[in-house]
Amino acid sequence: MRLRDRVLAVSGGGSGIGRQLVLGLLARGAHVTASDIRSEGLAETKDLANAGDRLHTVVADVTDREAMHALPELVVDAHGVVDGYISNAGIIQPFVKLHELDYERIESVISVNLWGTIHMAKAFLPYLLQRPEAHVTHVASMGAFLPVPGQTVYGAAKAAVKLLTEGMYAELLDTNVGVTLVMPGAVATNITEHSDVEAPIDPDSPEAAAYPAMDPSDAAAMILDGIERNRFHVLVGRDARTMNLLNRLAPRRSTHMIYKQMKDLLGP
């Protein structure tokens, strides 16, 4: 779906990849409603965009079903129609093993990553099915197909998003709605801060060089290119593409490889 003159909603638009998706959409001529739980982040995005009424912002929590079901009508009120959405909002878990993770954190990670995506899909699809052409985009993670020690619940939630999206793709094959699943590798965002999680390594430390991360603007450009080309899967970053191939060919080997990279970040 070509993005010029289209209207899209983006969750998590107040920072990181979400902010760059908003800015990238506007640069390609789209109209955008950006939502986020953080009003200050949305205000920063709006200042950076300087896009006038082509950018509309809404403070909303993706875990709030009523708020998500009200969102499409807010988009229509602001822009006249809605042609698609990007479910991008997400949080990670603390870098601990499953048995050390409390239920409150488990429920929060699943609620934001999985239920947030479901809420957006349920809310927007009735509107999108009425459009001559529309598009759904869900941002999962490399962790959706590769087990990452210390992010087991996060990975499980993103794996559920992966299969949810693939199921929607199959269900919508004979409709006007395209579906894209995004699986980023390491991207340099502030997701740890917004997830209230202590970063496992100092980003300014020498150790951080062993975990190179893509710039979020580059990640957003790849995602938007994928939407415009109606791609089914978009693997963002060399690490995601490499590990996807290795995991398909040798899943045990890829699991051991990622464990060796992550084990020093975990306790005994």
Side-chain angles (χ1 to χ4, degrees):
M1 181 179 79
R2 303 303 299 176
L3 293 170
R4 177 167 294 279
D5 297 325
R6 303 290 189 171
V7 175
L8 287 94
V10 180
S11 68
S15 64
I17 295 175
R19 172 177 288 169
Q20 296 303 322
L21 286 168
V22 171
L23 297 177
L25 284 166
L26 293 167
R28 297 182 189 217
H31 301 251
V32 183
T33 290
S35 67
D36 201 290
I37 197 170
R38 297 169 52 253
S39 60
E40 61 273 22
L42 286 175
E44 291 171 4
T45 299
K46 195 160 192 174
D47 287 344
L48 288 168
N50 192 27
D53 60 6
R54 287 202 299 126
L55 175 58
H56 165 233
T57 61
V58 177
V59 177
D61 183 348
V62 293
T63 69
D64 184 334
R65 185 188 302 177
E66 291 185 4
M68 286 299 101
H69 276 264
L71 185 56
E73 202 59 39
L74 295 178
V75 179
V76 172
D77 288 346
H79 300 294
V81 297
V82 58
D83 299 303
Y85 71 85
I86 303 176
S87 177
N88 163 79
I91 60 172
I92 61 171
Q93 68 172 76
F95 285 84
V96 298
K97 298 174 182 177
L98 175 62
H99 67 275
E100 300 170 324
L101 195 61
D102 62 70
Y103 273 105
E104 185 177 0
R105 284 285 195 162
I106 291 171
E107 289 169 358
S108 179
V109 168
I110 292 173
S111 184
V112 172
N113 293 297
L114 177 57
W115 275 110
T117 303
I118 293 172
H119 292 334
M120 288 198 79
K122 290 280 287 178
F124 278 94
L125 273 175
Y127 290 80
L128 302 187
L129 286 165
Q130 297 176 35
R131 300 294 295 155
E133 184 182 24
H135 207 89
V136 165
T137 307
H138 293 164
V139 179
S141 168
M142 181 172 74
F145 61 79
L146 179 72
V148 179
Q151 290 295 316
T152 294
V153 170
Y154 170 76
K158 290 299 192 179
V161 170
K162 177 179 181 292
L163 194 56
L164 172 79
T165 311
E166 291 169 339
M168 288 174 58
Y169 175 87
E171 292 177 351
L172 295 167
L173 277 174
D174 292 330
T175 75
N176 55 326
V177 181
V179 177
T180 294
L181 170 66
V182 179
M183 291 173 283
V187 180
T189 70
N190 48 5
I191 192 171
T192 53
E193 177 187 343
H194 294 154
S195 304
D196 194 23
V197 170
E198 184 177 350
I201 55 175
D202 183 342
D204 298 321
S205 68
E207 290 83 2
Y211 303 92
M214 175 178 280
D215 187 278
S217 62
D218 294 332
M222 290 185 66
I223 294 167
L224 298 179
D225 286 346
I227 294 171
E228 292 207 303
R229 295 168 184 165
N230 199 28
R231 294 277 301 280
F232 181 25
H233 285 176
V234 176
L235 292 158
V236 177
R238 182 180 297 177
D239 53 349
R241 294 190 296 273
T242 300
M243 294 310 296
N244 179 58
L245 178 60
L246 180 58
N247 194 62
R248 288 172 177 272
L249 296 174
R252 180 177 293 186
R253 181 182 174 190
S254 68
T255 300
H256 281 250
M257 181 180 296
I258 197 70
Y259 169 72
K260 288 179 181 178
Q261 291 180 335
M262 294 294 296
K263 67 178 180 177
D264 291 341
L265 306 181
L266 300 172

